[in-house]
Amino acid sequence: MGNWLLILTICAAAVQSCVAVDRGNFKTCDQNAFCKRQRATQPGNSPWEILLDSLNSTISSLQVQVISSRSQARLQLQLIALADSTLHFELDEVNPIKLRYRAQESLSGSPQLSSLKITEQSSDSISLSFGGTGKAILLVKPFRLDVYDGDQLVISVNARGLLNFEHQRVRKSKLWEAMSTVAQTVGSVGSSLPGKAYSWVLQWLPWSSEAGRNEEPSSEPAEEEMKAEAETKHPDEKPVEEEEEPGLWEETFKSHVDSKPYGPTSVGVDISFPGSRHVYGIPEHADTFALKQTKNGDPYRLYNTDVFEYELYNPMALYGAVPFMMAKRQQGTVGIFWNNAAETYVDIEESSSGSVVSSLMNLVSGGGNEPHQQTHWFSESGIIDLYIMIGPTPKDVVRQYGSLTGKTPLPQRFALGYHQCRWNYNDQEDVHSVNKGFDLHDIPYDVLWLDIEHTDNKKYFTWDPVKFPDPLEMVHNLTANGRKLVTIVDPHMKRDSSYFFHEHCEQNDFYVKDKSGKIYEGWCWPGSASYPDFFNPAVRDYWASRFALDKYEGTSLDVYTWNDMNEPSVFNGPEVTMPKDCLHYGGYEHRDVHNMYGMMVVEGTIRGQLMRSDYKLRPFVLSRSFFAGSQRFGAVWTGDNIADWEHLAIAVPMLLSLSVSGIPFCGADVGGFFNNPNTELLTRWYQAGAFQPFFRGHAHLHTKRREPWLFDEQTNKIIKASIKKRYTYLPYWYTLFYEHEKTAVPPMRPLWMEYPQDGETFSMDNQYLLGDSILVHPVVRSGEQEVSVYFPGVDTLWYEIETFRVYEAPGYQTIPVAIEKIPIFQRGGTIVPKKERARRASSLMTKDPYTFIVTLDKQGKAQGRLYIDDGQSLEYQKGSYITLELNMEGHTLSSKVTNQGAFETPESIDKIVIVGLSRAPSSIVDNTGRILEYRYDATSQALVLRKPNFSVSNEWSVNLKM
Amino acid sequence: MFLKEFRAVVFQNVLILCASAVLWKQTTATATQVTRPRGVSLARASLYIPDSDFTCLDGSATFPFRYVNDDYCDCQDGSDEPGTSACPNGSFYCRNLGHEATVVPSSRVNDGICDCCDAADEYQSGANCVNTCKELGSAAQEEAQKRYELESQGYAIKLEYINKGKHAKQSQQERNMALKAEQLEAEALRSEKEREKQEAEEPERQALDKYRQIEQEAMKEKEEMERSQREGEASKAFDWLDSNQDGKLQVEELQTHTAFDQNQDGTVSPDEAKFFLHNEEEMEKNEFVTTGWPLIKPFIMKAQGLEAPSQPEQQAGEIPLPDDHHQEESIPETDGEEGEEEDEEHEEEGEIVKPSPVTPSSIEYDAETQALIEAANKARNAYDEADRRLRDLEREIRQLEESNSKDYGPNEEYQPMDGQCYEYSDREYTYKLCPFDNGSQRPKHGGSETRLGSWDSWDGPEGSKYAAMKYDKGVQCWNGPQRSLKVHLSCGMENQLLSVSEPNRCEYEMKFTTPAACSEPRKPNDGDSEFHDEL
């Protein structure tokens, strides 16, 4: 424990010194040269034109060059038609000096091609059709792409003329050669000086301040060649004097100098959504779900960073980045995916009616003079790699995006249970007593988590020999009661010659390099650390191999993984992360791949887990950092939040943003990571968390213990009830996650995903749907006595899940919310499967019977689905599962088995509740003629069928004789 | 399907249940045995009567008895399913023959994990449970026997502690009483001495009043003399320094005197010289006499090796003007700060402030007055001594009462621990607990001791207040709360610090054994605990 204190001091000191002051540690757009440059691009005067002579096409694509009338720079445009109404738009330099990075790992395999036809071509435009109803028109001068769904213009690229593609160039200077010798001398003198002094010296020299920078990337062509190329093929687009504008070839933030050996390489273009009222997505930001206008502040930033005590309601970047956006019109929905792993910004501006662009839009679309959302995207490097999805429904868009970047595979059932975490459970004894505490107080939980202190001096894959002398015994203690363990494995490796992982990386050249090609060293939890280059497949293979049970000692197949700090977090790095001029596999700069680093870590971990079980068990990994495609590898959480009401409230918009952006398995730390929640906040947080996808209690080292039983009796009781409630709905959650894997529709949904034409719901982010059946309105304010719940739908009924009190939609209703109340409603017309027996862990519920809650709509109908499998193996992917379709119509409820693979289960249905019957039936008979027992309650209009005891594997029906 | 068969096994035979490993298939009951539903304790058996309808124990519903243990939850309180997992809030009674009976939540029934040592909770899950009650029972008995022995020996020591504690308390009380008596005497004595002092001071004051006038005149005269002496000296110095005799001192004149070389660089710079002319180029004689000379004199004296000037050693450039004004102003402030607490230092200071009867040596009192003064001085000294005596007594009483007010347990059994300290070392720290005083930690590899907390109160849970001690207001954690310490006490043969942990940041917990925590030993049951439990 003494050690523990010492460590805490060191950690705290490290945190203090690097990230204590929040905003000042992170760049604003103004402090970021490419953001400033791109943002300064003036609309309305695009120099880019299509070179019709260069047009080529195949059955699914067309290629054509685009040229700048100002600089004569050429870009290669490729349009590719993809399956499911998706158009791939790719813009890269013709003959670049250095190949630009293309993000491939975000995609789940090669997208399926579809047909692309040129339907019309003139000197002004090229018309084409793709997929089913997709049409597009390429306008020649200025270059623009308009995408139509049928006759409706839905997306327009470069309509505002903001296309700004900074082609690579050679630094221009008349005195280049003459000076390079002098500059070298200065450079070597200067390099030993702090950044500021160095630039001061350089400023004093007769030539530019930049001349001293002489590092030539080794992978570049010879200087002569470069110069020749620059002069012939790439004449500068910009006037010469702009060449030396600050920030092009070197940039300084605080004490960090970014050497930028390739100069300016940013890419940007505007994308407008005619007719759209709101745009959503581009997580991760602590902001409203419907994104805000950014004109008067910074753009939304996508740059994975470890932000200490992040602030709410602003566009600052957080731990993860998904450059995907959905735009919602009254009648339709479209999506775009900006597949670029470099630092990216998105400006959002509502067109003012009457502006040039807006009238242009209106002219083209023939629509009214309504304002619409227009966006401006720019990244620091890479190419413009844009996927356009034309919906038209929200579910179509998520499916289209899901087929590009993948879906979250069905997790093991335990992953949907409750997770108990803390930084830190101190030792084996502590773990044991917490585990016992849950049993003693009869509170279910599935996973106990160990944070960094469990390791031997922050050397991941090891155990502290004193605090955890026998980890396997501890694991067995947990698994004996059906539970699992998660250990943290972070990607910063302690530079310690006695650490096998570090030694292996050193010997095999596995670490990320600094700009000079030496192994990069940063500062993180272990002190001096280096970072494996996860973009190197051999590194991921090695990482994966370390999860083998004989390699990662003290683990079993019941031990899963948490990848934290994988932005990557570097305490002493610029913006608490890795310098952009660090070098990765393939000669790419960290700048090019930054936002994907965290995802690549998780890819390695997932594969490690698959390998150790011989591809039998589904993996489970929680990651803090993420990118488009991360959903294929597991769950994420919203990082280090704070125990206050605002942070409880922001979880809903943040999780909705993740959900619609392809990452459905997400959660926020219950209780808040920093600081101590009071009992009311903790209670409300458990109630909210119980109905969010990833449900984990977590707390900072400096907080008080908060296992539920440490509070007063009422708090303990309500928290326990909330967790138990989560467990009763596990069959529903599990079915939703199965359906997600099939359809890409997230379990947690904005209301408009089910009611896409209900304008009232478009900016709603204080309530949401689970599947299509459950409406949740968490209480997120202190002292709240009642909440105003909006019930969506036309002629639709919503039943409060405890009392079955019915509310009619559409409209707002005031719902009382005493402290034990979670406002949750089941839609009339649905059937929700539950398991009402409380067990210690989800793994102990597998044989328990189901309860079906049937809530009738106004026509007396209801439908529902249930998915069942073994809860852990990958056999379901071979068809080993059961799906039921439940249908109630005309007083008959029937179950149809729609899939029954090689999976057997003793599970049955021992209770059916039918709500919304105005009177009791005279009798109830099943399909075999058996008369069933029942009870009817006139107040709640609920009929309870007692022990029908149907096997889930059989088809059955019951008929209510009225 | 197990559910269909289930109804047939609602009732269990007590004997068969304990004897058979394949429990649920046994359906016949022998007539002599009491039948009761599975999972019901003997004490509650009478609430489950097979021949009549069953009413939930909370009275919420009544239904046919076949609903009991039919694996479907009908009662809100779970009482219809004592033997199944159907009710989320029910409980299951494990008889555990050979060991202790236990009650487990219904969620444990048939969940595949053996919870009852007699395996009764897993009658249908297929879990491979073996009846371990016998082994556990004998182990528990051994444990109980050991505990009994420990308690017995510990208790014997505790009795000694009680004895010591009570004895200490008694002698403290006796001492306290004695002191109180002394205190009364001392108070009386002080009053008497105070009265005598006042009586002696009155004639002294009257006598001295007569001399006051004379005193003042003499004082004035003396001051005048001193002033003229000073001025004469200044005037002489002026004339000496004013080498060109123009009645003014100039910079150049001062530059010739090395005494003014403040930075000791060998020359007197114009600035150094100007400093003594109040930053002017020259100075008239009048100004010199009043304010110039006092500034210069120490330097001259130093140069002549007479006296080290104190002021000029202050930072160069600062004008070392005497700052008497400030000091004079600050005196009344300190004076007016009359704390309520008795502070000896303060008191003494107060005495100094009192008008002093000590006469200037220049004045001679007549014999009568001198005698009065001496008498008054004697009375004052006598009073001071009486006063000091009383305050000493009061302090001792206070200390005694403080110790007396400490709660050493219901029978003073923890008293012998007061004044002792106990240590425990882990990898990095040595922890020290001094009961009823404080707890601390000290790094093993050097470093200073950190106070974890000072004795506050007994802090055990309700009903066993003396099971834990609280020490609080320790040293503040960096960027965190003040440290605090909770000490959990348990019965042991000796006073020993067993372990230290820090479950919450800066909140420490110690485990401590002491005979004082031993309770009166009870002979462990060697009979059947269920028998004991149920009858």
Side-chain angles (χ1 to χ4, degrees), chain A residues 1 439 704-705 838-840 933 935 946-947, chain B residues 67 70 74 107-109 111 115 431 504 507:
Chain A
M1 171 203 31
D439 284 348
K704 286 183 168 295
R705 286 291 182 125
R839 298 292 193 183
R840 272 173 280 209
E933 274 188 281
R935 233 177 272 159
R946 196 177 183 282
K947 297 183 75 175
Chain B
Y67 280 21
D70 71 341
D74 292 282
S107 63
R108 312 288 200 263
V109 176
D111 68 348
D115 290 285
Y431 295 89
N504 282 310
E507 291 178 12

PDB file of all heavy atoms in Angstrom, chain A residues 1 439 704-705 838-840 933 935 946-947, chain B residues 67 70 74 107-109 111 115 431 504 507:
ATOM      1  N   MET A   1       0.817  -1.218   0.000  1.00  0.00           N
ATOM      2  CA  MET A   1       0.000   0.000   0.000  1.00  0.00           C
ATOM      3  C   MET A   1       0.841   1.254   0.000  1.00  0.00           C
ATOM      4  O   MET A   1       0.469   2.254  -0.591  1.00  0.00           O
ATOM      5  CB  MET A   1      -0.883  -0.013   1.220  1.00  0.00           C
ATOM      6  CG  MET A   1      -1.573   1.291   1.391  1.00  0.00           C
ATOM      7  SD  MET A   1      -2.043   1.489   3.052  1.00  0.00           S
ATOM      8  CE  MET A   1      -0.769   0.612   3.828  1.00  0.00           C
ATOM      9  N   ASP A 439     -22.224 -10.624  -3.439  1.00  0.00           N
ATOM     10  CA  ASP A 439     -23.046 -11.786  -3.080  1.00  0.00           C
ATOM     11  C   ASP A 439     -23.796 -11.556  -1.781  1.00  0.00           C
ATOM     12  O   ASP A 439     -24.968 -11.883  -1.664  1.00  0.00           O
ATOM     13  CB  ASP A 439     -22.158 -13.028  -2.957  1.00  0.00           C
ATOM     14  CG  ASP A 439     -21.776 -13.555  -4.329  1.00  0.00           C
ATOM     15  OD1 ASP A 439     -22.390 -13.097  -5.321  1.00  0.00           O
ATOM     16  OD2 ASP A 439     -20.875 -14.403  -4.406  1.00  0.00           O
ATOM     17  N   LYS A 704     -13.727   8.282  -3.147  1.00  0.00           N
ATOM     18  CA  LYS A 704     -14.116   7.356  -2.079  1.00  0.00           C
ATOM     19  C   LYS A 704     -14.654   6.080  -2.705  1.00  0.00           C
ATOM     20  O   LYS A 704     -15.173   6.097  -3.820  1.00  0.00           O
ATOM     21  CB  LYS A 704     -15.208   7.977  -1.224  1.00  0.00           C
ATOM     22  CG  LYS A 704     -14.689   9.056  -0.313  1.00  0.00           C
ATOM     23  CD  LYS A 704     -15.836   9.574   0.558  1.00  0.00           C
ATOM     24  CE  LYS A 704     -15.310  10.444   1.675  1.00  0.00           C
ATOM     25  NZ  LYS A 704     -14.470   9.708   2.637  1.00  0.00           N
ATOM     26  N   ARG A 705     -14.579   5.013  -1.970  1.00  0.00           N
ATOM     27  CA  ARG A 705     -15.163   3.757  -2.427  1.00  0.00           C
ATOM     28  C   ARG A 705     -16.654   3.945  -2.692  1.00  0.00           C
ATOM     29  O   ARG A 705     -17.322   4.687  -1.973  1.00  0.00           O
ATOM     30  CB  ARG A 705     -15.000   2.690  -1.332  1.00  0.00           C
ATOM     31  CG  ARG A 705     -13.599   2.188  -1.217  1.00  0.00           C
ATOM     32  CD  ARG A 705     -13.274   1.383  -2.439  1.00  0.00           C
ATOM     33  NE  ARG A 705     -11.939   0.854  -2.336  1.00  0.00           N
ATOM     34  CZ  ARG A 705     -11.636  -0.452  -2.450  1.00  0.00           C
ATOM     35  NH1 ARG A 705     -12.582  -1.340  -2.658  1.00  0.00           N
ATOM     36  NH2 ARG A 705     -10.397  -0.850  -2.368  1.00  0.00           N
ATOM     37  N   ALA A 838     -33.646 -13.269 -10.616  1.00  0.00           N
ATOM     38  CA  ALA A 838     -32.384 -12.593 -10.320  1.00  0.00           C
ATOM     39  C   ALA A 838     -31.322 -13.636 -10.051  1.00  0.00           C
ATOM     40  O   ALA A 838     -31.511 -14.527  -9.226  1.00  0.00           O
ATOM     41  CB  ALA A 838     -32.556 -11.717  -9.098  1.00  0.00           C
ATOM     42  N   ARG A 839     -30.221 -13.529 -10.752  1.00  0.00           N
ATOM     43  CA  ARG A 839     -29.092 -14.426 -10.489  1.00  0.00           C
ATOM     44  C   ARG A 839     -27.870 -13.587 -10.171  1.00  0.00           C
ATOM     45  O   ARG A 839     -27.862 -12.380 -10.370  1.00  0.00           O
ATOM     46  CB  ARG A 839     -28.818 -15.299 -11.710  1.00  0.00           C
ATOM     47  CG  ARG A 839     -29.961 -16.226 -12.102  1.00  0.00           C
ATOM     48  CD  ARG A 839     -30.179 -17.307 -11.077  1.00  0.00           C
ATOM     49  NE  ARG A 839     -31.061 -18.362 -11.597  1.00  0.00           N
ATOM     50  CZ  ARG A 839     -31.468 -19.398 -10.883  1.00  0.00           C
ATOM     51  NH1 ARG A 839     -31.104 -19.520  -9.610  1.00  0.00           N
ATOM     52  NH2 ARG A 839     -32.254 -20.308 -11.412  1.00  0.00           N
ATOM     53  N   ARG A 840     -26.815 -14.259  -9.764  1.00  0.00           N
ATOM     54  CA  ARG A 840     -25.599 -13.524  -9.417  1.00  0.00           C
ATOM     55  C   ARG A 840     -24.909 -12.931 -10.639  1.00  0.00           C
ATOM     56  O   ARG A 840     -24.239 -11.915 -10.559  1.00  0.00           O
ATOM     57  CB  ARG A 840     -24.610 -14.467  -8.730  1.00  0.00           C
ATOM     58  CG  ARG A 840     -24.807 -14.547  -7.269  1.00  0.00           C
ATOM     59  CD  ARG A 840     -23.923 -15.614  -6.684  1.00  0.00           C
ATOM     60  NE  ARG A 840     -24.508 -16.929  -6.875  1.00  0.00           N
ATOM     61  CZ  ARG A 840     -24.302 -17.948  -6.058  1.00  0.00           C
ATOM     62  NH1 ARG A 840     -23.509 -17.816  -5.024  1.00  0.00           N
ATOM     63  NH2 ARG A 840     -24.878 -19.098  -6.262  1.00  0.00           N
ATOM     64  N   GLU A 933     -53.929 -21.400 -17.074  1.00  0.00           N
ATOM     65  CA  GLU A 933     -54.334 -20.581 -15.926  1.00  0.00           C
ATOM     66  C   GLU A 933     -53.967 -19.134 -16.198  1.00  0.00           C
ATOM     67  O   GLU A 933     -52.945 -18.854 -16.843  1.00  0.00           O
ATOM     68  CB  GLU A 933     -53.567 -21.041 -14.682  1.00  0.00           C
ATOM     69  CG  GLU A 933     -54.219 -22.182 -13.953  1.00  0.00           C
ATOM     70  CD  GLU A 933     -53.486 -22.442 -12.634  1.00  0.00           C
ATOM     71  OE1 GLU A 933     -52.425 -23.084 -12.690  1.00  0.00           O
ATOM     72  OE2 GLU A 933     -53.976 -21.986 -11.593  1.00  0.00           O
ATOM     73  N   ARG A 935     -54.552 -14.753 -14.735  1.00  0.00           N
ATOM     74  CA  ARG A 935     -55.117 -13.774 -13.817  1.00  0.00           C
ATOM     75  C   ARG A 935     -55.304 -12.478 -14.594  1.00  0.00           C
ATOM     76  O   ARG A 935     -54.466 -12.163 -15.446  1.00  0.00           O
ATOM     77  CB  ARG A 935     -54.154 -13.541 -12.655  1.00  0.00           C
ATOM     78  CG  ARG A 935     -54.784 -13.710 -11.299  1.00  0.00           C
ATOM     79  CD  ARG A 935     -53.735 -13.544 -10.221  1.00  0.00           C
ATOM     80  NE  ARG A 935     -53.071 -14.819  -9.914  1.00  0.00           N
ATOM     81  CZ  ARG A 935     -51.877 -14.916  -9.334  1.00  0.00           C
ATOM     82  NH1 ARG A 935     -51.193 -13.828  -9.033  1.00  0.00           N
ATOM     83  NH2 ARG A 935     -51.363 -16.083  -9.065  1.00  0.00           N
ATOM     84  N   ARG A 946     -50.325 -17.850 -16.517  1.00  0.00           N
ATOM     85  CA  ARG A 946     -49.519 -18.503 -15.504  1.00  0.00           C
ATOM     86  C   ARG A 946     -48.991 -19.829 -16.033  1.00  0.00           C
ATOM     87  O   ARG A 946     -49.745 -20.685 -16.460  1.00  0.00           O
ATOM     88  CB  ARG A 946     -50.419 -18.734 -14.290  1.00  0.00           C
ATOM     89  CG  ARG A 946     -49.693 -19.040 -13.038  1.00  0.00           C
ATOM     90  CD  ARG A 946     -50.653 -19.194 -11.865  1.00  0.00           C
ATOM     91  NE  ARG A 946     -49.883 -19.420 -10.669  1.00  0.00           N
ATOM     92  CZ  ARG A 946     -49.342 -20.605 -10.365  1.00  0.00           C
ATOM     93  NH1 ARG A 946     -49.553 -21.644 -11.137  1.00  0.00           N
ATOM     94  NH2 ARG A 946     -48.612 -20.724  -9.270  1.00  0.00           N
ATOM     95  N   LYS A 947     -47.711 -19.941 -16.046  1.00  0.00           N
ATOM     96  CA  LYS A 947     -47.035 -21.179 -16.404  1.00  0.00           C
ATOM     97  C   LYS A 947     -47.497 -21.815 -17.712  1.00  0.00           C
ATOM     98  O   LYS A 947     -47.890 -22.993 -17.729  1.00  0.00           O
ATOM     99  CB  LYS A 947     -47.180 -22.200 -15.275  1.00  0.00           C
ATOM    100  CG  LYS A 947     -46.524 -21.754 -13.987  1.00  0.00           C
ATOM    101  CD  LYS A 947     -46.607 -22.793 -12.909  1.00  0.00           C
ATOM    102  CE  LYS A 947     -45.612 -23.923 -13.175  1.00  0.00           C
ATOM    103  NZ  LYS A 947     -45.595 -24.884 -12.067  1.00  0.00           N
TER     104      LYS A 947
ATOM    105  N   TYR B  67     -49.823 -24.173  -5.492  1.00  0.00           N
ATOM    106  CA  TYR B  67     -49.002 -23.079  -6.025  1.00  0.00           C
ATOM    107  C   TYR B  67     -47.682 -22.929  -5.268  1.00  0.00           C
ATOM    108  O   TYR B  67     -46.760 -22.286  -5.747  1.00  0.00           O
ATOM    109  CB  TYR B  67     -49.755 -21.740  -5.940  1.00  0.00           C
ATOM    110  CG  TYR B  67     -50.781 -21.508  -7.036  1.00  0.00           C
ATOM    111  CD1 TYR B  67     -51.313 -22.570  -7.756  1.00  0.00           C
ATOM    112  CD2 TYR B  67     -51.220 -20.218  -7.332  1.00  0.00           C
ATOM    113  CE1 TYR B  67     -52.262 -22.353  -8.737  1.00  0.00           C
ATOM    114  CE2 TYR B  67     -52.159 -19.981  -8.316  1.00  0.00           C
ATOM    115  CZ  TYR B  67     -52.680 -21.055  -9.020  1.00  0.00           C
ATOM    116  OH  TYR B  67     -53.611 -20.842  -9.993  1.00  0.00           O
ATOM    117  N   ASP B  70     -44.220 -24.313  -6.877  1.00  0.00           N
ATOM    118  CA  ASP B  70     -44.499 -24.852  -8.220  1.00  0.00           C
ATOM    119  C   ASP B  70     -43.646 -24.136  -9.261  1.00  0.00           C
ATOM    120  O   ASP B  70     -43.943 -24.150 -10.443  1.00  0.00           O
ATOM    121  CB  ASP B  70     -45.993 -24.768  -8.550  1.00  0.00           C
ATOM    122  CG  ASP B  70     -46.442 -23.322  -8.797  1.00  0.00           C
ATOM    123  OD1 ASP B  70     -45.713 -22.378  -8.376  1.00  0.00           O
ATOM    124  OD2 ASP B  70     -47.508 -23.129  -9.399  1.00  0.00           O
ATOM    125  N   ASP B  74     -45.922 -16.323  -7.247  1.00  0.00           N
ATOM    126  CA  ASP B  74     -47.262 -15.751  -7.096  1.00  0.00           C
ATOM    127  C   ASP B  74     -47.319 -14.673  -6.027  1.00  0.00           C
ATOM    128  O   ASP B  74     -48.163 -13.785  -6.089  1.00  0.00           O
ATOM    129  CB  ASP B  74     -48.265 -16.855  -6.744  1.00  0.00           C
ATOM    130  CG  ASP B  74     -48.474 -17.828  -7.893  1.00  0.00           C
ATOM    131  OD1 ASP B  74     -49.197 -17.476  -8.834  1.00  0.00           O
ATOM    132  OD2 ASP B  74     -47.885 -18.931  -7.863  1.00  0.00           O
ATOM    133  N   SER B 107     -32.132 -16.648  -5.587  1.00  0.00           N
ATOM    134  CA  SER B 107     -31.353 -16.632  -6.820  1.00  0.00           C
ATOM    135  C   SER B 107     -30.259 -17.690  -6.814  1.00  0.00           C
ATOM    136  O   SER B 107     -29.708 -18.022  -7.847  1.00  0.00           O
ATOM    137  CB  SER B 107     -30.722 -15.255  -7.027  1.00  0.00           C
ATOM    138  OG  SER B 107     -29.824 -14.967  -5.981  1.00  0.00           O
ATOM    139  N   ARG B 108     -29.947 -18.234  -5.644  1.00  0.00           N
ATOM    140  CA  ARG B 108     -28.901 -19.259  -5.552  1.00  0.00           C
ATOM    141  C   ARG B 108     -29.433 -20.648  -5.873  1.00  0.00           C
ATOM    142  O   ARG B 108     -28.652 -21.571  -6.027  1.00  0.00           O
ATOM    143  CB  ARG B 108     -28.317 -19.305  -4.134  1.00  0.00           C
ATOM    144  CG  ARG B 108     -27.928 -17.971  -3.549  1.00  0.00           C
ATOM    145  CD  ARG B 108     -26.685 -17.430  -4.229  1.00  0.00           C
ATOM    146  NE  ARG B 108     -26.036 -16.428  -3.403  1.00  0.00           N
ATOM    147  CZ  ARG B 108     -26.191 -15.126  -3.521  1.00  0.00           C
ATOM    148  NH1 ARG B 108     -27.006 -14.647  -4.438  1.00  0.00           N
ATOM    149  NH2 ARG B 108     -25.541 -14.293  -2.746  1.00  0.00           N
ATOM    150  N   VAL B 109     -30.757 -20.781  -5.924  1.00  0.00           N
ATOM    151  CA  VAL B 109     -31.328 -22.121  -6.084  1.00  0.00           C
ATOM    152  C   VAL B 109     -31.180 -22.573  -7.533  1.00  0.00           C
ATOM    153  O   VAL B 109     -31.578 -21.866  -8.462  1.00  0.00           O
ATOM    154  CB  VAL B 109     -32.819 -22.132  -5.663  1.00  0.00           C
ATOM    155  CG1 VAL B 109     -33.441 -23.506  -5.914  1.00  0.00           C
ATOM    156  CG2 VAL B 109     -32.947 -21.734  -4.208  1.00  0.00           C
ATOM    157  N   ASP B 111     -28.742 -22.678  -9.540  1.00  0.00           N
ATOM    158  CA  ASP B 111     -27.997 -21.826 -10.486  1.00  0.00           C
ATOM    159  C   ASP B 111     -26.683 -22.479 -10.883  1.00  0.00           C
ATOM    160  O   ASP B 111     -25.843 -21.853 -11.537  1.00  0.00           O
ATOM    161  CB  ASP B 111     -27.761 -20.423  -9.911  1.00  0.00           C
ATOM    162  CG  ASP B 111     -26.807 -20.428  -8.730  1.00  0.00           C
ATOM    163  OD1 ASP B 111     -26.500 -21.510  -8.203  1.00  0.00           O
ATOM    164  OD2 ASP B 111     -26.366 -19.332  -8.320  1.00  0.00           O
ATOM    165  N   ASP B 115     -24.241 -23.743  -2.902  1.00  0.00           N
ATOM    166  CA  ASP B 115     -24.232 -22.741  -1.838  1.00  0.00           C
ATOM    167  C   ASP B 115     -24.470 -23.346  -0.465  1.00  0.00           C
ATOM    168  O   ASP B 115     -23.862 -22.936   0.506  1.00  0.00           O
ATOM    169  CB  ASP B 115     -25.270 -21.657  -2.131  1.00  0.00           C
ATOM    170  CG  ASP B 115     -24.865 -20.794  -3.309  1.00  0.00           C
ATOM    171  OD1 ASP B 115     -23.974 -19.954  -3.141  1.00  0.00           O
ATOM    172  OD2 ASP B 115     -25.410 -20.992  -4.409  1.00  0.00           O
ATOM    173  N   TYR B 431       4.251   1.435  10.339  1.00  0.00           N
ATOM    174  CA  TYR B 431       3.088   2.120  10.880  1.00  0.00           C
ATOM    175  C   TYR B 431       3.138   2.029  12.391  1.00  0.00           C
ATOM    176  O   TYR B 431       3.597   1.031  12.945  1.00  0.00           O
ATOM    177  CB  TYR B 431       1.808   1.460  10.367  1.00  0.00           C
ATOM    178  CG  TYR B 431       1.647   1.605   8.875  1.00  0.00           C
ATOM    179  CD1 TYR B 431       2.181   0.653   8.006  1.00  0.00           C
ATOM    180  CD2 TYR B 431       0.980   2.703   8.341  1.00  0.00           C
ATOM    181  CE1 TYR B 431       2.054   0.790   6.638  1.00  0.00           C
ATOM    182  CE2 TYR B 431       0.842   2.848   6.971  1.00  0.00           C
ATOM    183  CZ  TYR B 431       1.386   1.885   6.123  1.00  0.00           C
ATOM    184  OH  TYR B 431       1.256   2.030   4.774  1.00  0.00           O
ATOM    185  N   ASN B 504      -9.605   3.578   0.883  1.00  0.00           N
ATOM    186  CA  ASN B 504      -9.862   4.826   0.175  1.00  0.00           C
ATOM    187  C   ASN B 504      -8.616   5.669   0.310  1.00  0.00           C
ATOM    188  O   ASN B 504      -7.894   5.566   1.299  1.00  0.00           O
ATOM    189  CB  ASN B 504     -11.014   5.607   0.808  1.00  0.00           C
ATOM    190  CG  ASN B 504     -12.345   5.030   0.428  1.00  0.00           C
ATOM    191  OD1 ASN B 504     -12.625   4.803  -0.749  1.00  0.00           O
ATOM    192  ND2 ASN B 504     -13.156   4.761   1.427  1.00  0.00           N
ATOM    193  N   GLU B 507      -7.583   7.285   3.620  1.00  0.00           N
ATOM    194  CA  GLU B 507      -8.367   6.724   4.727  1.00  0.00           C
ATOM    195  C   GLU B 507      -7.772   5.361   5.043  1.00  0.00           C
ATOM    196  O   GLU B 507      -7.906   4.423   4.274  1.00  0.00           O
ATOM    197  CB  GLU B 507      -9.843   6.585   4.332  1.00  0.00           C
ATOM    198  CG  GLU B 507     -10.517   7.927   4.189  1.00  0.00           C
ATOM    199  CD  GLU B 507     -11.972   7.791   3.740  1.00  0.00           C
ATOM    200  OE1 GLU B 507     -12.513   6.669   3.752  1.00  0.00           O
ATOM    201  OE2 GLU B 507     -12.536   8.824   3.359  1.00  0.00           O
TER     202      GLU B 507
END
